[in-house]
Amino acid sequence: MKDSFFRSMTWLHTWVGLLTCWVLFLVFFAGTAAYYRAEINLWMQPENHGSQYDVNADNQQLILKGLTALAQQAPDAETWWVYLPTQRTPLLTYAWSEPAAEGQRFGYYHQSFINPATGEALPKARESRGGDFLYRLHFDLYYMSVITARWIVGFCTMFMLVAIISGIVIHKRIFKDFFSFRPGKGPRSWLDAHVASSVLALPFHLMITYTGLVTLMFMYMPWGLNTQYGDETQAFYSQWKPIYSSSVPSGEAATMQSPQQLLASLNAAMSDEASSPIEMLQVEHLNDANAKVTVRMSPEHSLNQQAPWYRFSAVTGKLTEESTATSAANKTQSTMIALHSGRFAGQGLRLLYLLAGITGCVMIATGAIMWAEKLVQKQQKSGQFKPGLALVKMLNLATFAGLPIALASFFYANRLLPVSFVDRENWEIHCFFISWALVALLACFKRDRQTWQRLFLFTALLYGLLPLLNAMTSQYQLMSNLQRQAYVLAGFDLMMLALAALFYMAAKRLRSSQKVRAAQVTKATAELGIES
């Protein structure tokens, strides 16, 4: 403890923020991009760009098309899925999984698409993890055990919660300083930027950090669960979310209903009060006496995200289970997860989520850079070498400049790798980390202001050329997408142009500040009578 509460909180805020800021930036960066993972998924499969959402489409006929296609293409599969189109994913998706081979945990997953507007099957899309990779990256990381990654992310998230609360305590004039920005003042300018980005979306930062911990609360705090259920934790999850409860095949062969009969059984099983549209249909244990059909309704823009669901026999068509009222605790936890993921958000609110996530990235980056700038000043005054400074500056450049380049490289790899390339979906991800590693390698040798400027210019060029790359590798480009009202694809290109402009302005700002600093040094040397 320091000699006062304020100094103790300052020390706590500085070190809990600094020690985890680079991991937190990755979490915020990938998580923010993942708010548009459905749009990214669509963009990264240009074979599906011709599909358009039809608000007047007959969902019954679409389900029948999906089931008929599955019955023809995968009659011996383990599980079927049919996902109805939405504005964000204007595709009728049907998928199936094959039984896991010996020694493997999961079977192979196949996915195909139908244009809901025409009913025609779309050509096989390229293999890509798309936005789902970014979604998983923000809490599962990569190249490591999922459990280990989630503990690392949870540890850093708890540190961030402490940093936010201690930051509120130490900034006595936090709202007054929000309206103050003093450019060209070194650490003072970085502090102003840090405070502004922190206050601008402070409720969001508190909410997203706390709810991030809640999403994995049974992993971080399992004691109550273990005390009540012991080793039978699966029984808890079956009671907590019955829709995900697993059943086992009976081993007795049986003839399932035809797609037309399944559709009729679906309509008979659903309650007359089911006003929400169907989101997904799943058929499991095909051709078994215990074959089940689960239908999940769409929660649409409900904050609770607990939509009705129904389960009936795929052999007899009889309703076997349906959703029931859940406890207040269950609804609270579900609401917190919905707040964190933003799945309930419409277009306007989703954009606010994106902007708030970007301010979180700015908050983390400016805090780390401010610490480095302060240390530079102390080093210049004392003349003592600070061994941690080089490491922090290297990590700052590698992370804050490297991750945007890595994301752009991920998009370029999606279009430039051959469609038939072996293991291409994983190589897209490898390209993400390879480009990030190259920036980190550069940061080991050069990390001055000019390097930042050049990397930002390079980033602006990468994002600025992405719409051109899309036009060259897809049948549809920005203007044609706007004309045919394919706003998901047009919005992606416009967002890339906006990011290009943002990084160009950042590079321009760095260049102008470099000139001001050079002029100040020249003036100081002239006043001292030192010849350059």
Side-chain angles (χ1 to χ4, degrees):
M1 296 293 291
K2 301 296 181 180
D3 56 358
S4 68
F5 176 76
F6 178 80
R7 288 182 180 272
S8 297
M9 289 295 101
T10 302
W11 178 90
L12 181 65
H13 178 77
T14 300
W15 287 105
V16 298
L18 182 68
L19 293 175
T20 59
C21 66
W22 303 287
V23 175
L24 287 171
F25 185 85
L26 171 63
V27 171
F28 255 79
F29 182 84
T32 299
Y35 285 128
Y36 284 88
R37 66 169 168 160
E39 292 79 359
I40 294 173
N41 285 342
L42 181 63
W43 187 88
M44 295 184 75
Q45 291 186 320
E47 296 82 4
N48 297 332
H49 285 188
S51 181
Q52 286 188 272
Y53 179 69
D54 183 4
V55 69
N56 298 315
D58 186 345
N59 285 347
Q60 299 284 319
Q61 289 301 312
L62 291 176
I63 292 172
L64 183 59
K65 285 182 182 295
L67 289 174
T68 302
L70 286 165
Q72 293 172 352
Q73 298 182 32
D76 299 322
E78 185 178 51
T79 308
W80 289 347
W81 292 271
V82 177
Y83 296 93
L84 289 171
T86 64
Q87 288 185 335
R88 298 181 63 203
T89 307
L91 302 162
L92 173 63
T93 306
Y94 63 94
W96 68 95
S97 67
E98 297 174 351
E102 186 177 354
Q104 292 184 343
R105 185 179 177 187
F106 301 106
Y108 193 75
Y109 181 80
H110 303 265
Q111 190 171 241
S112 294
F113 306 97
I114 292 175
N115 187 337
T118 63
E120 297 177 353
L122 293 165
K124 180 175 174 57
R126 65 190 62 196
E127 298 293 333
S128 175
R129 294 273 298 279
D132 295 332
F133 158 68
L134 297 169
Y135 168 71
R136 287 288 173 185
L137 178 66
H138 102 278
F139 64 96
D140 282 351
L141 305 182
Y142 207 73
Y143 300 124
M144 68 172 63
S145 161
V146 168
I147 299 299
T148 302
R150 292 182 181 186
W151 274 108
I152 292 172
V153 171
F155 178 82
C156 294
T157 304
M158 180 58 73
F159 266 43
M160 180 164 185
L161 190 60
V162 173
I164 292 174
I165 295 172
S166 59
I168 295 172
V169 171
I170 65 175
H171 290 295
K172 299 176 182 177
R173 302 184 305 169
I174 188 169
F175 291 104
K176 182 178 179 181
D177 289 344
F178 171 72
F179 297 98
S180 302
F181 183 71
R182 288 148 284 194
K185 301 294 184 181
R188 180 74 253 181
S189 300
W190 288 112
L191 177 61
D192 290 343
H194 181 66
V195 171
S197 58
S198 301
V199 177
L200 187 62
L202 180 59
F204 173 84
H205 297 154
L206 282 167
M207 178 276 292
I208 210 71
T209 305
Y210 179 73
T211 55
L213 292 168
V214 170
T215 58
L216 296 173
M217 64 183 184
F218 294 120
M219 175 182 167
Y220 299 139
M221 300 182 67
W223 306 290
L225 181 61
N226 293 340
T227 300
Q228 187 69 25
Y229 288 86
D231 295 333
E232 300 296 327
T233 54
Q234 190 58 45
F236 163 76
Y237 290 110
S238 296
Q239 295 175 22
W240 178 39
K241 291 188 176 180
I243 188 174
Y244 297 121
S245 60
S246 57
S247 60
V248 294
S250 66
E252 179 185 347
T255 302
M256 288 199 328
Q257 293 182 328
S258 67
Q260 292 80 0
Q261 291 172 325
L262 285 174
L263 184 61
S265 297
L266 183 156
N267 292 326
M270 285 170 41
S271 168
D272 294 336
E273 299 177 358
S275 57
S276 301
I278 295 174
E279 180 181 65
M280 180 276 294
L281 181 144
Q282 178 187 26
V283 184
E284 54 185 340
H285 311 315
L286 272 69
N287 304 313
D288 185 88
N290 200 26
K292 294 285 194 300
V293 179
T294 303
V295 183
R296 185 174 69 206
M297 314 305 287
S298 172
E300 295 184 313
H301 300 311
S302 169
L303 185 58
N304 193 325
Q305 293 289 287
Q306 291 186 338
W309 57 270
Y310 305 89
R311 182 170 289 147
F312 61 93
S313 170
V315 177
T316 65
K318 293 182 178 179
L319 181 68
T320 59
E321 197 177 359
E322 63 180 305
S323 57
T324 57
T326 57
S327 67
N330 198 330
K331 290 179 180 178
T332 301
Q333 197 257 3
S334 176
T335 300
M336 287 190 177
I337 292 177
L339 283 170
H340 186 82
S341 63
R343 290 173 186 166
F344 67 94
Q347 294 180 0
L349 185 56
R350 190 170 299 277
L351 181 60
L352 288 178
Y353 262 81
L354 175 71
L355 295 176
I358 290 174
T359 63
C361 294
V362 173
M363 173 185 69
I364 295 168
T366 52
I369 294 172
M370 175 182 67
W371 187 90
E373 289 287 320
K374 283 186 175 180
L375 204 59
V376 167
Q377 285 192 350
K378 289 181 180 178
Q379 183 173 297
Q380 290 174 344
K381 291 179 180 179
S382 64
Q384 296 178 351
F385 174 71
K386 303 290 184 181
L389 178 60
L391 177 62
V392 170
K393 294 181 75 172
M394 182 194 74
L395 290 171
N396 285 350
L397 180 62
T399 305
F400 307 142
L403 273 173
I405 291 175
L407 181 60
S409 302
F410 180 58
F411 295 145
Y412 275 88
N414 171 258
R415 296 304 179 87
L416 299 179
L417 287 176
V419 175
S420 59
F421 192 80
V422 177
D423 202 27
R424 77 177 312 280
E425 63 176 359
N426 287 322
W427 271 103
E428 287 180 359
I429 299 171
H430 296 331
C431 289
F432 175 96
F433 287 103
I434 289 171
S435 58
W436 189 11
L438 290 174
V439 176
L441 183 63
L442 173 65
C444 293
F445 302 98
K446 291 198 68 177
R447 42 189 175 268
D448 56 9
R449 189 177 294 261
Q450 191 176 48
T451 304
W452 280 88
Q453 179 201 350
R454 289 175 177 174
L455 285 176
F456 280 172
L457 282 174
F458 179 62
T459 307
L461 181 65
L462 286 177
Y463 284 111
L465 291 178
L466 270 174
L468 178 61
L469 177 67
N470 179 57
M472 296 171 61
T473 54
S474 171
Q475 296 180 353
Y476 304 95
Q477 39 83 21
L478 177 58
M479 295 308 300
S480 63
N481 285 327
L482 288 172
Q483 290 172 358
R484 66 192 185 99
Q485 298 181 350
Y487 296 127
V488 170
L489 296 170
F492 184 96
D493 284 349
L494 291 172
M495 181 60 68
M496 295 303 103
L497 293 175
L499 288 173
L502 184 66
F503 280 103
Y504 176 76
M505 288 189 294
K508 191 174 180 181
R509 178 65 191 166
L510 282 172
R511 185 178 181 181
S512 62
S513 63
Q514 187 176 10
K515 288 182 177 179
V516 170
R517 181 168 292 190
Q520 290 174 345
V521 171
T522 302
K523 181 180 179 180
T525 54
E527 290 176 351
L528 293 173
I530 302 173
E531 296 182 1
S532 57

